[in-house]
Amino acid sequence: MALEPRLVELAAKLGPSATPDEDPVLNIVTAALDNKEAKWNLEDVNAVVLSSEDIQLNALDLCPYLWQHVLENEGATRLLNTISIKASSKECIITLQEIQETLSTNLSLWAQEDQEDEEAGHRLVEKLSFLLQLYSNITPRLVLRKKGPLETLDQLIKGISTALRLGSAAADKGHGRKLLESLSKFIVGVNRWVKASSSASDNEKNDCIDLLATLLLNSLATCGSYIQANIAERYLENHFPRRYLHSSVDSESLQGQEVASLMIESAKELKLRPKSLLKLASQGGGIALACIVLIAHWPIEEYAPELQQLSQLGPQIEFLLQSSSLVDECMFLLMSRANTQGELEVDTLASAVAALASSSPNPVQRNTAFVTLSLLVKKIPPPARLAFFSELLSNENPFPQMRVAAVGLVKESVLEALASPEKNILASNALFGQLGRFLLRPDPLDLFGGRFDPKEFLTSSEPPRLIECLGFYYTLLQRDTSNKTGIRDPSSVSDTRRSLLDPLAGCLDNLQSVADENSGMSVIALQIALERAQDALVNQR
């Protein structure tokens, strides 16, 4: 494309006819940055450089100077990008490594002194992302002479890894995603450059791939939490539409999904696959965290979920949930794998999910965790499941709301066991032998005694728990017609009347007299649940 007349003059000044003892590009760049009224600005310089193959670009001087203005001056940013494409790749690499060392030092100083200045941290991370973009332009142009690709890349990648580790601490979601995007382009470009190298042996190429894979995994370990693609909620929405709170598909989560796709593309370039990632995850630490990110985002059509995968990832997922890290990825892995055939040997994962479902401040996350928990408990063998239910229902459970929700989990499992022709401890007398003290009793046992305080009762978690217990009792009386659980035994009925039904009935008048607008519905719900249970007992005679 022809240059406009005023740029033709600039091209002549920058071209081969320029005085050899001077650096005309640097002179004009300096003038443009120092003087807003200069004849030519940096956009003009960039346009001329892009249009010509004859302009000498001194990267050793231009790159450090332009870097001082990068991102703040759009012209400086564009020209620096052009220089990384057209100048000597050797000179560019030398000067960018110096810039990288300074940037890492600044990031380290920010972490030590200026963390409250988030904007300053974000600016440093933006520069790091741009630096990776420049490396992506330069590295594939490197010409190997005395050094092979491994020796060329070793120190470069170690420096990038350090910078990324420091940058992750200064990033927010948007900047963290940008870092990962830039990293992916760098890895893919460098890997293809290594593959195309005719001077490198297969062993050296494989060592380069290992180096890049380590960079990818280390970076995901520190930046993977910024992806936030809401894959767990999306899975819930698609497979259990009646149980999700609201649609999780929005522009933010879609952006996260795009970043995750770039990470998967990078992993494939480096010959990483889910089965190899499963083995790597057993190492624990940051590597395990990165592997879980990749496995969770790996397309299901390429890696089908299987319950046994949780046996391999269980310890890592449990640790991440306990530290509230990568909750989205962990919930997706648990939900998608629990929604397959098979049986889990241990219930430690279910315990970690139960804690999350009880304690997360995010209502969407709590809902997702509870749906995941309902799937997981069905994969626990019935004897272990019964013991797990005992833990959830116990008054030693630090989460009162889980004691309420757990009644519903028990009901699901018991009804499923009753419908099955196979023998099941959940459809036997052992059910109430272990859980009766939680399901058919008030807490504490003397709750409705002489010191009963109706106001205190209505502000506690006991009313919703008793409503759930009475609902379960009523349902079981209707469904367990063969009396597999012993629910209809005269001794059981008498004991339940004496311990729960009659004392509660005797306190209803007191409850109604002190109920206000907030607690009135609880009293009504208690009364309805009690009356249904009493009617069911009458009708079974």
Side-chain angles (χ1 to χ4, degrees):
M1 187 172 75
L3 293 171
E4 58 182 280
R6 70 185 190 86
L7 295 185
V8 172
E9 181 185 351
L10 176 59
K13 287 183 175 293
L14 300 180
S17 61
T19 305
D21 295 334
E22 296 182 353
D23 186 342
V25 178
L26 182 60
N27 290 340
I28 292 176
V29 165
T30 302
L33 286 169
D34 290 346
N35 182 7
K36 293 182 179 180
E37 303 300 324
K39 187 174 182 179
W40 294 291
N41 59 35
L42 294 183
E43 295 286 4
D44 297 332
V45 177
N46 189 53
V48 171
V49 171
L50 282 171
S51 69
S52 174
E53 298 299 327
D54 300 326
I55 297 175
Q56 296 297 313
L57 297 168
N58 181 0
L60 294 175
D61 290 332
L62 285 168
C63 289
Y65 186 57
L66 287 168
W67 183 262
Q68 298 174 40
H69 305 275
V70 77
L71 300 181
E72 297 172 1
N73 184 307
E74 187 65 29
T77 305
R78 290 181 181 177
L79 181 55
L80 186 52
N81 187 68
T82 299
I83 290 171
S84 72
I85 296 171
K86 305 200 71 171
S88 162
S89 58
K90 181 179 179 181
E91 288 185 2
C92 286
I93 283 290
I94 291 172
T95 190
L96 287 189
Q97 284 186 287
E98 293 174 355
I99 288 171
Q100 174 190 294
E101 290 176 5
T102 302
L103 183 57
S104 292
T105 299
N106 290 338
L107 282 164
S108 182
L109 289 173
W110 177 88
Q112 295 171 27
E113 302 172 2
D114 301 321
Q115 286 195 37
E116 291 184 2
D117 189 352
E118 293 182 357
E119 287 300 319
H122 294 165
R123 286 194 296 271
L124 291 172
V125 176
E126 282 188 75
K127 288 187 174 183
L128 178 55
S129 295
F130 183 58
L131 181 65
L132 283 171
Q133 179 182 324
L134 299 179
Y135 273 136
S136 299
N137 294 337
I138 297 164
T139 310
R141 297 194 297 113
L142 286 172
V143 178
L144 298 173
R145 290 186 174 90
K146 295 181 180 180
K147 293 181 179 180
L150 182 61
E151 189 178 356
T152 301
L153 291 174
D154 187 41
Q155 290 304 312
L156 173 64
I157 288 180
K158 286 179 180 177
I160 290 174
S161 183
T162 298
L164 283 167
R165 176 177 54 79
L166 294 168
S168 66
D172 58 6
K173 179 170 66 175
H175 293 96
R177 286 174 172 178
K178 183 62 179 176
L179 272 181
L180 291 176
E181 289 176 5
S182 300
L183 174 67
S184 174
K185 293 173 183 176
F186 172 77
I187 287 175
V188 170
V190 171
N191 188 55
R192 291 175 182 175
W193 170 71
V194 170
K195 288 180 179 178
S197 173
S198 57
S199 61
S201 66
D202 288 343
N203 286 339
E204 185 174 12
K205 290 181 180 179
N206 288 333
D207 288 342
C208 289
I209 289 174
D210 290 343
L211 196 63
L212 289 167
T214 301
L215 173 64
L216 174 66
L217 294 175
N218 285 340
S219 301
L220 274 174
T222 55
C223 296
S225 60
Y226 295 123
I227 292 177
Q228 298 179 30
N230 290 343
I231 51 175
E233 280 77 23
R234 190 175 295 118
Y235 184 89
L236 176 59
E237 181 178 342
N238 291 335
H239 292 80
F240 305 97
R242 294 183 179 181
R243 302 186 72 173
Y244 78 95
L245 295 183
H246 57 73
S247 179
S248 58
V249 180
D250 54 26
S251 59
E252 277 291 306
S253 64
L254 290 176
Q255 288 173 12
Q257 190 174 8
E258 290 172 3
V259 174
S261 297
L262 290 175
M263 295 298 99
I264 299 301
E265 179 187 353
S266 300
K268 290 179 178 178
E269 277 282 335
L270 303 175
K271 301 179 181 179
L272 292 172
R273 296 295 183 270
K275 289 185 178 179
S276 61
L277 292 169
L278 277 174
K279 293 180 181 178
L280 285 172
S282 63
Q283 297 179 17
I287 294 296
L289 190 152
C291 290
I292 283 176
V293 171
L294 290 171
I295 292 171
H297 290 281
W298 210 278
I300 283 182
E301 59 271 18
E302 297 179 18
Y303 185 58
E306 296 178 0
L307 190 64
Q308 65 180 11
Q309 293 160 8
L310 294 184
S311 299
Q312 295 168 279
L313 293 173
Q316 290 76 26
I317 291 177
E318 183 181 358
F319 172 79
L320 289 172
L321 290 179
Q322 289 171 348
S323 59
S324 297
S325 303
L326 297 181
V327 172
D328 183 33
E329 284 79 4
C330 290
M331 285 295 99
F332 170 77
L333 287 170
L334 291 171
M335 201 184 318
S336 59
R337 273 61 185 172
N339 195 28
T340 60
Q341 299 298 315
E343 195 172 75
L344 284 174
E345 297 179 0
V346 293
D347 61 0
T348 53
L349 282 172
S351 297
V353 176
L356 180 69
S358 304
S359 60
S360 173
N362 185 328
V364 174
Q365 194 175 86
R366 288 199 304 272
N367 178 66
T368 301
F370 187 75
V371 175
T372 303
L373 179 62
S374 69
L375 293 171
L376 276 176
V377 295
K378 293 179 181 178
K379 301 301 176 182
I380 301 173
R385 201 185 318 176
L386 192 60
F388 178 62
F389 285 150
S390 182
E391 293 177 11
L392 292 185
L393 294 167
S394 170
N395 56 12
E396 296 179 2
N397 186 333
F399 306 111
Q401 61 271 41
M402 182 49 66
R403 295 186 68 203
V404 178
V407 179
L409 296 177
V410 174
K411 181 164 71 172
E412 284 183 12
S413 289
V414 171
L415 295 182
E416 186 180 88
L418 288 173
S420 173
E422 299 179 4
K423 286 188 176 182
N424 191 316
I425 194 172
L426 294 168
S428 72
N429 288 331
L431 173 69
F432 288 110
Q434 191 155 341
L435 303 185
R437 64 187 186 279
F438 306 124
L439 294 170
L440 304 178
R441 301 286 187 277
D443 181 27
L445 290 175
D446 60 351
L447 173 65
F448 298 117
R451 295 183 178 181
F452 177 65
D453 184 334
K455 289 185 177 180
E456 182 179 344
F457 171 77
L458 288 174
T459 58
S460 71
S461 60
E462 190 65 1
R465 191 189 76 85
L466 289 179
I467 291 168
E468 288 293 320
C469 289
L470 289 167
F472 171 61
Y473 186 61
Y474 168 79
T475 301
L476 196 57
L477 286 171
Q478 301 295 315
R479 299 287 289 274
D480 188 12
T481 55
S482 299
N483 198 32
K484 293 180 179 180
T485 63
I487 191 72
R488 295 167 173 267
D489 290 350
S491 59
S492 174
V493 171
S494 175
D495 199 26
T496 303
R497 283 186 183 277
R498 184 181 66 256
S499 301
L500 176 60
L501 303 183
D502 292 346
L504 175 58
C507 291
L508 277 177
D509 288 342
N510 286 339
L511 293 174
Q512 290 168 344
S513 66
V514 300
D516 55 23
E517 292 183 5
N518 294 324
S519 59
M521 292 304 297
S522 293
V523 175
I524 293 172
L526 266 175
Q527 184 174 5
I528 292 173
L530 175 62
E531 290 175 353
R532 291 178 72 200
Q534 290 172 327
D535 290 345
L537 288 174
V538 172
N539 294 333
Q540 76 161 349
R541 294 175 181 174

